[in-house]
Amino acid sequence: MSTNLVLHQTHHTLADFDTIAVYLQENLKGNSLHLFPELFLTGYPLQDLCLQRAFIDAYSDHKTRIDQWLKSLSKNDKWRGLVPGLEYELETSGLPRKIENVVFEAIPGEGLKKLYTKRLLPNYDIFDEQKYFTPGNGNCFYDFHGSLIALHICEDMWGSSFHQLDPCDLMYREMKEKNLPVKMLINLSASPFDVTKKRKRMERARALSLKFKCPFLYLNRVGGEDEILFDGSSFIVSGQNDSLVMKSFERDVQTVELDKLQGRYDFEPVFHPENTWEGLFSPQLETKERPAELRSWSDDECEDVLQSLKFGLQEYARKSGFKKFLVALSGGLDSALVLAIVKLALNPGQEVEAVYMPSIHSASLSTQLCEDMCRRIKVPLRHLPIKFLHSTVKNTFTQTFPDKFEGLTDENVQSRLRGTLLYTRSNQTGAMVINTSNKSELAVGYSTQYGDSVGALSLLGDLYKTEVYRLARYVNARYGEPIPEGVIDRGPSAELRQNQLDQDSLPPYGRLDPMLEGILSYRYGKKELSGLGFTEEEIMKTLNLYLKSEYKRAQFCPILKIKAKSFGFGYRIPISKNLKYHF
Amino acid sequence: MSTNLVLHQTHHTLADFDTIAVYLQENLKGNSLHLFPELFLTGYPLQDLCLQRAFIDAYSDHKTRIDQWLKSLSKNDKWRGLVPGLEYELETSGLPRKIENVVFEAIPGEGLKKLYTKRLLPNYDIFDEQKYFTPGNGNCFYDFHGSLIALHICEDMWGSSFHQLDPCDLMYREMKEKNLPVKMLINLSASPFDVTKKRKRMERARALSLKFKCPFLYLNRVGGEDEILFDGSSFIVSGQNDSLVMKSFERDVQTVELDKLQGRYDFEPVFHPENTWEGLFSPQLETKERPAELRSWSDDECEDVLQSLKFGLQEYARKSGFKKFLVALSGGLDSALVLAIVKLALNPGQEVEAVYMPSIHSASLSTQLCEDMCRRIKVPLRHLPIKFLHSTVKNTFTQTFPDKFEGLTDENVQSRLRGTLLYTRSNQTGAMVINTSNKSELAVGYSTQYGDSVGALSLLGDLYKTEVYRLARYVNARYGEPIPEGVIDRGPSAELRQNQLDQDSLPPYGRLDPMLEGILSYRYGKKELSGLGFTEEEIMKTLNLYLKSEYKRAQFCPILKIKAKSFGFGYRIPISKNLKYHF
């Protein structure tokens, strides 16, 4: 009998138990082995949800329902399912004494049977699995009608010297000791996207495939959970060959015949230190070279980033019930790129509106560029000048507080008035306000709290300004030039005072961005930045701005995460601190 | 020779290495055993700071400096220090391969010697220790000039069935097996405050003291790290006796003679299930009774809460360099209590200003009450009416957007204008804006994002409205009635439309608050709340409001944590979700 594998790269909402159960009932059939991504039965990540009584009760009913359905089937059915989910052990009080992240075997006529418990529980950056789950301690060699499969879950493939645990190496040793005829490695994942992740996963899988001398099947879920994006992008590598590559950010189902996979295994496996737990835990600390410049994205990477941002936006909107979007357009690049992405992301029945709120300092060029852009992409543009409001606030305010009203005070009030007006419009129409900040700006606090930093979701909060330029040029080249060239060419400015330019307050972005990347991803301090050739003055300015602006990031909206290190849930630096100890 | 113990209940800033080293050099002397709290050498919690290269370098220099100083001393000195800190193992790349949370012995003439590695690493709620640290796997019986001490660190005393690890029980078994003459248990802690924590720590310590039949010494640090407050409150229990109780929220140093501690050990130890890892991990799930009402705080608890809020405010202000505070006073209770607490917290050289921003819907009673309060406590009150600004915004806005401008749209704009004006004043004076929201309001989203929810720090964000009443009455009784009775007696209102009362939108607080406590601390859903006697209508209204307002909490400022479960870093619920799956 041939061994058919069906890869279900699914896309379900967290805890959508009914839909998940129906999906299983409709799809488990034939003579195949059906594969599902990590925690298919619940969705991922659940965080504290997996401790809530209502969740535990509903999940228990859900599992029972599937189990009963399986028991009602004929034992003669040849198909099997590898169905990941949670396994609870409860105290009599209802307290979870133990929660495991497992794979169940779905057996017709028998039910759900626990096969394997995840051994390496990720607990760095955004991951909290050791908070909730208890690790397993055995390998799993699963026999499907005579084909032996080395089964494991997500992080198990990465190994950790920090945790002194490499589950794939333990599988390998057992395979060698017992001389097991393993025909395939299967990894069931819920692995978040970042712009380098596809490559890293495939490199690691290829190394393991060459080591085991059999194909490596990698199945990942699709979904967007606030800031965290799951891209799918499942694949099979057979040594040096790529046997299957599945869609990104889209549900996909593929069938393959195990025996027909053509592999080439006459190569030495290469395990790059970057592709390990530590590479993910302390991003890029192992990298030998110290780049003084940011690596520029390829067109493929730009396309991946664009798709991820569109997908993340739609996932948030879908689950929160938004059909309308609202973007404050300024005539600058960040808001223009955000508007272009939202427009490209729109589904039928959705709409986006742009609002332009010029102040006394806004150049007439800004007006022209906003109008030009909205004409190009056919988005309604509304003009709401804040000049009069700005002066009225100033007059009213100084009647009570005659102290000086200039500099930052005067700049911030314009930005906060815009925030207020934007949300007033959002209250009127029910539109979702899309934030327009970028990562450079967030890192140095170059924005006004409750002003231009408002929004339900940030699309560009994980892109440095130089990456905003790169993506804008890509979008223009690939998608019919939605952004007027004038927007890309003009010098960046907040337009909160006369002739203001970002460069008056910040190092040029070509210098600033690599310093920030050093600080965030390489965990560099003064010494290492100095070693890269940056001047004492640039370094101290950047570090000071960065360290002082933690309080702004702490109240920022969720940022779609497209890097190993973003300013989101996985970024954990104290807010209040004495700066002198932190260089 | 008598065995003197010196308990250094210290209060240092995170990573303030110079001060910490000097403290050791000045205080390690005599014939005593000097004790310091958990991670004394660095401070706690460090989060990602312990992965930054600058931190690792500076810490390494710091340890070397102390080590060298110790080596320079005479071997004849009789004192020893138990000095907790970090122990790193680094890869050649600078990547930490292993970080341990340890106790060093400071030995004159020899240096720092690692004695013990923490075994049970807390990883629930706000704790992330398994993200950073590798656990130890042995007990420590430390011999100080013939007195044997069972030494352990913080969480080790709580035990966990979830992690199948109870370090104190393992110590007990080894003690019994080897018949060790243990004279004292010493726990060196960095344990966050909550209103029940003093009692829980002491109950657990007493049970262990009775089990081991020797005194239990508990030493805790003092400090405020954003939302997390360390209260000190160190103590020694000798069976049923309390041998020492140290100050709360204040540095304190005490010396005791071990042999003079009078213990009473003729009682059975009582290990309450609430006082365990699980009790902390899934707060109160073990509790048998299901309270339909919140327990009212005792006067002692009110005083503890008041001290914790004053302390947390001052810690944040000190580290961020604020000397001025700014509170928006509304005539309602929350802002009045906040202002009273800030006033009580003021140090010499600090000042607080109140701003009253009435709108067209503000009652004249509100004005009178604000004036009365500020007269009582001698705080300058500034009047900044927003009537004219409100109508100007409305006129300007509706010129561009003629859609209806009423209901929430009209209410929120008043609140956001106030947020803007308050921060304009903060820009002018450099004052720290203190948030005035309470926990009930946060839980049901009864506030305006970027409006009344603004602020650098929330004092009342972990107090339900009924607890705000309780604390206000306590403050009034104990501290010369700063709050006019009229503020406490009037019905709560946001005053954003005519005759608005909280009770029009929410269940009465006496009903709402226990439901919220059930949801948050007991992880109750519809079923359990119904079992407490709440009506279907109340429950669904509360759950709906709670589930829909996650996005507001996600952008809220740090909340001083005074409960096991607060809306801060330890609260982890997805923002965007399909509500129907979450009851």
Side-chain angles (χ1 to χ4, degrees), chain A residues 125-138:
Chain A
D125 197 68
I126 54 165
F127 297 105
D128 278 335
E129 288 193 28
Q130 291 174 23
K131 213 182 259 299
Y132 305 103
F133 305 152
T134 303
N137 55 15

Side-chain angles (χ1 to χ4, degrees), chain A residues 53 123 128 131 285 572, chain B residues 53 123 128 131 285 572:
Chain A
R53 288 168 191 261
N123 211 46
D128 278 335
K131 213 182 259 299
L285 267 181
R572 306 193 179 170
Chain B
R53 288 168 192 260
N123 211 46
D128 277 336
K131 211 181 257 303
L285 267 181
R572 305 193 181 172

Side-chain angles (χ1 to χ4, degrees), chain B residues 486-539:
Chain B
V487 171
I488 303 182
D489 293 340
R490 70 195 303 211
S493 165
E495 296 199 319
L496 293 172
R497 59 174 184 265
Q498 276 312 102
N499 305 318
Q500 184 180 24
L501 285 174
D502 293 11
Q503 256 47 141
D504 303 339
S505 312
L506 306 174
Y509 288 113
R511 307 281 294 172
L512 178 65
D513 291 350
M515 277 192 281
L516 294 173
E517 179 64 2
I519 294 166
L520 298 172
S521 289
Y522 296 71
R523 303 198 185 280
Y524 285 170
K526 206 173 125 184
K527 189 179 76 183
E528 293 81 12
L529 292 174
S530 185
L532 287 181
F534 293 102
T535 67
E536 168 93 7
E537 193 195 337
E538 293 176 309
I539 295 169

Side-chain angles (χ1 to χ4, degrees), chain A residues 330-345:
Chain A
S330 71
L333 182 58
D334 300 321
S335 59
L337 180 57
V338 166
L339 182 62
I341 294 170
V342 173
K343 175 71 184 180
L344 287 169

Side-chain angles (χ1 to χ4, degrees), chain A residues 306-445:
Chain A
L306 178 63
Q307 293 311 324
S308 71
L309 301 178
K310 287 165 53 184
F311 177 77
L313 174 68
Q314 284 293 359
E315 282 286 279
Y316 192 100
R318 177 175 65 82
K319 288 190 281 178
S320 308
F322 287 110
K323 301 254 184 275
K324 293 180 182 180
F325 304 98
L326 185 59
V327 177
L329 210 57
S330 71
L333 182 58
D334 300 321
S335 59
L337 180 57
V338 166
L339 182 62
I341 294 170
V342 173
K343 175 71 184 180
L344 287 169
L346 290 187
N347 288 334
Q350 293 181 328
E351 56 190 72
V352 57
E353 181 179 68
V355 186
Y356 175 56
M357 294 175 278
S359 79
I360 193 170
H361 305 300
S362 301
S364 61
L365 177 63
S366 297
T367 315
Q368 291 162 28
L369 290 169
C370 289
E371 286 173 349
D372 183 9
M373 171 151 189
C374 288
R375 255 194 316 268
R376 288 170 186 232
I377 62 173
K378 299 189 180 62
V379 164
L381 175 69
R382 316 299 287 264
H383 291 257
L384 180 53
I386 63 163
K387 283 169 214 172
F388 179 63
L389 279 178
H390 178 198
S391 62
T392 309
V393 167
K394 187 167 175 166
N395 291 338
T396 308
F397 190 87
T398 47
Q399 279 165 32
T400 301
F401 299 109
D403 316 56
K404 66 178 184 169
F405 192 102
E406 57 189 39
L408 259 190
T409 308
D410 190 48
E411 293 173 32
N412 282 338
V413 82
Q414 298 166 60
S415 190
R416 292 198 177 104
L417 274 174
R418 288 189 180 119
T420 297
L421 295 169
L422 196 63
Y423 267 78
T424 305
R425 182 59 179 163
S426 163
N427 273 144
Q428 244 181 1
T429 64
M432 175 176 168
V433 175
I434 312 302
N435 171 274
T436 55
S437 303
N438 65 57
K439 192 173 189 172
S440 307
E441 180 178 311
L442 275 170
V444 294

